[in-house]
Amino acid sequence: MRDVRVLSGDWRFLKADLPVETAMRYAEQGEAVTLPNTWNAEDGQDGGNDYYRGRCWYVRELSAEELTGERVFLEISGAAMTAEVYLNGKKLVRHEGGYSAFRAELTGRLAERNTLAISVSNEDNDTVYPQKADFTFYGGLYREVRLISVPAEHFELVKDGTPGIKVTPSVDLDKHSAAVTVETWQNADAVEMTVNGETRRVPSVDGHAQAEFILENVHLWNGTEDPFLYTAEARLDSGDAVSTRFGCRTFRCDPEKGFFLNGRSYPLRGVSRHQDRKRKGNALNLEDHEEDMAIIRELGANTLRLAHYQHAQEFYDLCDENGIVVWAEIPYITMHMKNGRENTLTQMRELITQCYNHPCIAVWGLSNEITAASAVNEDLLENHRLLNDLCHRMDSTRLTTMANVFMLETDSPILEIPDINSYNLYFGWYLGEMSQTDEFFDEYHAKYPDRVIGFSEYGADANPAFHAEHPERSDYTEEYQALYHEHMLRMIEERPYLWATHVWNLFDFAADGRDEGGKHGENQKGLVTFDRTLRKDAFWLYKAAWNKREPFVHLCGKRYENRCTEKTEIKVYSNQSSVTLYVDGVRIAEQEGKTVFCFSIPLVGEHLIRAEAGNASDTMCIRRVSQPDESYLYNKSATVVNWFDQDGLNPDCFSVQDTLSELRANPQAGAVVNAMMEKASASRGDVADAVKDNPALQRMMGRMTLISLLKQGGADEESIKQLNRVLQGIKK
Ligand code: GCB
């Protein structure tokens, strides 16, 4: 018999880097905590990049009754980032990497009364990933800790945190059958394996047993529509037993047609997720995971990128059960560390060992934006090759990929390493125009028609308190975020070759180094707020496009109540094909369409707006005010420069509306622009230098209008007008 006990209570926490003896001696004076626990739930979310990164202790007594069985193991499902486990003052194990499970054997070292002391550290170093990234590196024993007691003969528990059982289904779609290979590792002579009601006794050779089961009329794991799961069980004569669920499916990617599930085209359209929540950090419980999954299902996404590290087993389980296709990855991110190679390999080995049986996982992600702060040199390439080979050696059934940063040249040799590729692009948010995304993919696809390409990240921050009638890049309004995603949704729908697309991010999350958009320590690219209570308008856009099950209609701009324009736009998102608009009870218009419906109405006083689509309806109240509502503006001093509309500009002459490359193609206009740019770069030092030397960035800037470059650089209205006057004096 296997006995598993969760050790959640009776822990003492000491927030100090102490020797083990001292931690044990003063444990009683520590704070009483229950697991899961992080010490950064507050300071990791309040901005300032000043959260505690150091070594702390969790100490607990283990009584004799908790320790039944001939062999006893301690299982730690997640300790961020580096942990050392001590029993009665003796070190049993050290584990580097904050996201994977590990186990230590306690047998033979136990006394009548025992003290378990675990040091956990999230301090910075140059060997354990992640060290540089846009999220808070919470420290703590933030997942469950369990005691596992087993008979003398038992399934393997220590190596790479293995579940002890590995299941590889190989599906023949034509024959409607699957060959299911079950492997186990144990210190016994034979194993009894059961799959789908069929039981076999299999000999164990050198600690390894393997058998193949054939499933006729196989019931496929078929995405969100029918995520059917089988169970495989293995048992020893000693009574020890392990089991795992698995699913039978095939995945395939085509450079022209995108992703295929079970032989049919199945475009992967979804979002990314961090394990993070307001006031809790990464110390999540099952209800938190379930709530996140319910929101994902409501959205109608069929894929998740579980960024940027291994997530909790409970969450991969939920993805299995809900048919969500997953991109799983390790935190090899932003900055390559020459001393970190071993750690990338360990984290990948553990990820694959521990997650192999989940049918939801389709790809292993090698790294994320690794060239953002590192050059593409031989050491980095070699690290990627080793990771890629490791994935293929450990798993011949899945593909490898990586998420590349926008400024990585598309002819970089690193793109040839993984099986399929992906780019994170933020045109229209951090820089450039949204349409540069379209151009990027079109050019890539034309240049590399045989390569599979995906869109691994895109997004725009929005604080739902901020609003604008004419939203603009970087204004943090809910309206700009919605507009941005409308563009991206269209762009994606027009490009079926994109094997997967993932919005960054489903939820706002903590990045303690950020201080922007009216919030401290938060990345606000979420479609839903950090506390999960508010769905921003962009959430409803994707729901309208992806959720075909629940008919609904959503009025955008509910929080944008006070409007000071004569006319206003009423935008409606719906998954229905026709929307009717009522203003103050009067039917104004009916529109046929898809996903996005726009109406313009005059504003005179207070109005009750109602949208109807079939049986669904939504209502809101807006009003005309004489002055702009200041609380809607992020940057209250910045007057939004809207004077540069096409009207009033002489189209035969140059203007700030032209792109940089159009201006530079003319010697006179080019000289004006270059002089201005030089002046600007002299005051910006290194960054401007980096842009000068980076041909990808140069090309990208060439496509941007001068006005957007100027605004990005923070130019004031007067100097923009001045420059425009000069350019209007130069004939095209
Ligand atoms: C990225 C990163 C992600 C960041 C995101 C952002 O490219 O991969 O970790 O959070 O950009 O919001 O800037």
Side-chain angles (χ1 to χ4, degrees):
M1 272 297 288
R2 181 175 279 217
D3 180 51
V4 181
R5 292 176 190 216
V6 180
L7 302 182
S8 53
D10 305 322
W11 291 91
R12 292 284 170 170
F13 172 67
L14 295 150
K15 194 173 170 180
D17 186 358
L18 307 166
V20 60
E21 300 77 25
T22 320
M24 284 165 65
R25 184 160 346 114
Y26 294 106
E28 275 312 303
Q29 289 169 34
E31 182 193 343
V33 295
T34 43
L35 303 187
N37 178 269
T38 170
W39 61 79
N40 297 121
E42 272 174 43
D43 68 357
Q45 303 192 341
D46 61 358
N49 207 19
D50 52 357
Y51 59 104
Y52 182 78
R53 289 188 67 182
R55 186 167 181 249
C56 300
W57 285 93
Y58 292 87
V59 186
R60 188 191 192 276
E61 297 300 308
L62 283 182
S63 67
E65 319 69 90
E66 284 175 310
L67 304 160
T68 55
E70 291 163 303
R71 307 275 296 264
V72 184
F73 295 82
L74 183 75
E75 176 179 85
I76 296 178
S77 325
M81 306 277 180
T82 294
E84 290 185 343
V85 177
Y86 293 81
L87 183 69
N88 302 327
K90 269 198 109 64
K91 182 154 87 182
L92 301 185
V93 68
R94 175 182 167 89
H95 182 261
E96 295 183 338
Y99 306 96
S100 47
F102 62 99
R103 303 193 185 98
E105 179 153 18
L106 309 185
T107 325
R109 302 165 202 256
L110 290 161
E112 197 44 37
R113 286 184 57 78
N114 300 281
T115 306
L116 184 62
I118 304 174
S119 74
V120 186
S121 167
N122 63 343
E123 72 196 321
D124 54 356
N125 60 72
D126 67 351
T127 48
V128 182
Y129 286 97
Q131 289 301 331
K132 190 176 171 64
D134 178 37
F135 60 95
T136 295
F137 305 147
Y138 296 107
L141 268 186
Y142 72 98
R143 290 185 191 147
E144 281 190 349
V145 172
R146 303 182 189 103
L147 264 187
I148 304 177
S149 302
V150 289
E153 288 194 344
H154 61 91
F155 289 100
E156 171 65 32
L157 280 154
V158 172
K159 193 167 182 316
D160 297 326
T162 174
I165 181 166
K166 180 179 175 189
V167 179
T168 310
S170 166
V171 179
D172 187 327
L173 292 174
D174 294 332
K175 294 194 178 134
H176 307 289
S177 68
V180 179
T181 305
V182 180
E183 292 169 86
T184 59
W185 289 263
Q186 56 282 313
N187 59 354
D189 295 335
V191 186
E192 211 171 78
M193 296 181 182
T194 305
V195 171
N196 203 31
E198 182 187 344
T199 300
R200 299 244 207 101
R201 196 168 171 85
V202 185
S204 173
V205 180
D206 295 332
H208 176 241
Q210 178 169 336
E212 192 181 90
F213 294 79
I214 302 294
L215 299 177
E216 303 292 356
N217 289 319
V218 63
H219 192 157
L220 297 176
W221 185 89
N222 209 2
T224 52
E225 287 152 37
D226 185 17
F228 185 81
L229 295 170
Y230 287 94
T231 301
E233 289 168 299
R235 177 172 294 278
L236 302 177
D237 293 341
S238 68
D240 191 29
V242 284
S243 72
T244 183
R245 295 184 306 180
F246 67 94
C248 297
R249 78 284 183 256
T250 66
F251 295 139
R252 174 163 78 76
C253 281
D254 181 278
E256 200 55 50
K257 298 186 186 133
F259 191 82
F260 283 73
L261 171 67
N262 298 329
R264 64 176 169 129
S265 164
Y266 193 78
L268 296 179
R269 302 294 175 250
V271 293
S272 281
R273 175 207 188 231
H274 263 300
Q275 53 176 25
D276 195 7
R277 193 177 266 252
K278 184 92 178 154
R279 286 181 284 275
K280 286 192 164 187
N282 58 357
L284 306 178
N285 58 33
L286 187 58
E287 288 76 54
D288 297 323
H289 293 309
E290 285 173 344
E291 188 183 357
D292 283 6
M293 181 51 75
I295 296 173
I296 289 156
R297 295 288 288 145
E298 180 194 338
L299 185 68
N302 64 9
T303 180
L304 271 177
R305 179 170 170 216
L306 292 181
H308 282 304
Y309 39 72
Q310 184 172 331
H311 284 227
Q313 284 302 314
E314 294 88 314
F315 203 81
Y316 295 106
D317 285 342
L318 285 166
C319 293
D320 290 341
E321 289 161 14
N322 287 280
I324 303 291
V325 175
V326 167
W327 162 327
E329 68 191 41
I330 55 165
Y332 182 26
I333 180 166
T334 316
M335 177 182 69
H336 171 75
M337 303 188 293
K338 68 178 188 321
N339 298 329
R341 178 184 288 189
E342 203 40 54
N343 186 249
T344 62
L345 295 167
T346 307
Q347 293 207 42
M348 186 61 90
R349 214 170 40 241
E350 291 176 335
L351 174 73
I352 299 178
T353 303
Q354 295 171 23
C355 298
Y356 184 89
N357 296 334
H358 290 289
C360 63
I361 298 175
V363 294
W364 304 117
L366 306 181
S367 64
N368 179 71
E369 298 201 342
I370 199 65
T371 57
S374 309
V376 183
N377 59 27
E378 193 38 47
D379 194 50
L380 178 131
L381 289 171
E382 172 98 352
N383 203 144
H384 279 78
R385 279 187 217 112
L386 289 170
L387 280 170
N388 199 52
D389 293 348
L390 176 70
C391 292
H392 287 148
R393 230 180 14 254
M394 291 185 68
D395 185 355
S396 59
T397 70
R398 293 181 176 96
L399 300 171
T400 56
T401 190
M402 60 189 287
N404 288 303
V405 65
F406 75 96
M407 67 253 207
L408 177 77
E409 289 283 1
T410 57
D411 58 2
S412 169
I414 200 164
L415 288 159
E416 288 165 32
I417 296 176
D419 299 325
I420 56 177
N421 269 300
S422 290
Y423 263 89
N424 300 346
L425 301 178
Y426 286 93
F427 298 120
W429 180 246
Y430 289 120
L431 78 173
E433 329 279 347
M434 299 177 210
S435 59
Q436 285 176 255
T437 320
D438 321 21
E439 291 162 23
F440 179 94
F441 283 120
D442 290 345
E443 277 173 26
Y444 186 96
H445 189 55
K447 193 165 169 198
Y448 301 105
D450 299 333
R451 281 197 200 162
V452 175
I453 184 77
F455 196 11
S456 35
E457 271 183 40
Y458 63 103
D461 289 70
N463 180 333
F466 299 149
H467 302 284
E469 188 70 30
H470 301 289
E472 296 218 322
R473 183 162 67 77
S474 298
D475 67 6
Y476 295 88
T477 61
E478 197 174 358
E479 288 72 30
Y480 184 78
Q481 187 192 41
L483 208 60
Y484 170 93
H485 282 294
E486 282 173 31
H487 178 96
M488 294 307 162
L489 183 64
R490 267 196 313 274
M491 189 295 290
I492 289 166
E493 284 174 350
E494 287 161 6
R495 288 165 184 76
Y497 60 82
L498 294 171
W499 73 270
T501 65
H502 293 101
V503 174
W504 188 261
N505 192 289
L506 177 53
F507 303 109
D508 291 346
F509 61 91
D512 200 50
R514 284 184 181 257
D515 188 354
E516 56 177 317
K519 293 256 174 89
H520 303 294
E522 250 181 66
N523 183 316
Q524 296 184 81
K525 292 192 187 67
L527 304 178
V528 177
T529 51
F530 200 7
D531 61 4
R532 277 54 172 172
T533 60
L534 189 150
R535 286 152 173 74
K536 303 178 194 175
D537 284 341
F539 175 91
W540 301 94
L541 170 75
Y542 286 105
K543 179 168 172 176
W546 295 341
N547 181 334
K548 303 290 173 220
R549 300 174 318 243
E550 294 165 38
F552 80 94
V553 60
H554 171 80
L555 275 165
C556 296
K558 285 203 185 74
R559 287 166 279 273
Y560 173 34
E561 276 176 72
N562 301 323
R563 310 187 180 197
C564 70
T565 46
E566 269 175 36
K567 281 175 152 185
T568 192
E569 180 179 72
I570 302 294
K571 200 187 279 180
V572 179
Y573 295 151
S574 176
N575 53 5
Q576 302 301 291
S577 57
S578 166
V579 169
T580 311
L581 191 78
Y582 296 83
V583 177
D584 301 325
V586 179
R587 186 173 182 279
I588 296 290
E590 183 173 345
Q591 223 181 81
E592 304 283 314
K594 194 180 150 218
T595 316
V596 183
F597 302 80
C598 290
F599 304 86
S600 174
I601 63 159
L603 261 185
V604 281
E606 188 159 66
H607 302 290
L608 188 70
I609 315 287
R610 184 177 155 79
E612 272 184 18
N615 292 331
S617 71
D618 197 16
T619 309
M620 71 177 182
C621 188
I622 56 171
R623 68 187 65 82
R624 173 94 187 258
V625 291
S626 53
Q627 293 299 317
D629 187 329
E630 287 266 305
S631 71
Y632 292 167
L633 298 180
Y634 163 50
N635 189 349
K636 306 205 176 3
S637 61
T639 48
V640 181
V641 196
N642 270 326
W643 56 269
F644 56 87
D645 318 340
Q646 296 296 348
D647 320 348
L649 288 180
N650 179 355
D652 299 331
C653 296
F654 287 100
S655 79
V656 290
Q657 291 285 16
D658 294 314
T659 64
L660 197 59
S661 52
E662 283 163 349
L663 291 160
R664 279 185 165 153
N666 175 291
Q668 221 186 328
V672 172
V673 169
N674 287 342
M676 180 208 77
M677 301 282 272
E678 239 156 68
K679 211 169 103 205
S681 70
S683 62
R684 296 218 319 278
D686 293 353
V687 178
D689 262 4
V691 172
K692 213 169 68 222
D693 295 340
N694 186 317
L697 278 179
Q698 278 291 335
R699 269 204 312 279
M700 197 172 330
M701 282 176 62
R703 293 190 191 123
M704 290 170 69
T705 60
L706 188 56
I707 180 80
S708 67
L709 275 166
L710 290 166
K711 284 181 158 192
Q712 195 168 301
D716 62 276
E717 185 167 347
E718 223 8 84
S719 26
I720 299 177
K721 280 183 172 166
Q722 171 64 23
L723 187 64
N724 195 53
R725 277 194 288 272
V726 175
L727 292 172
Q728 284 275 279
I730 306 172
K731 264 201 134 4
K732 283 191 176 170

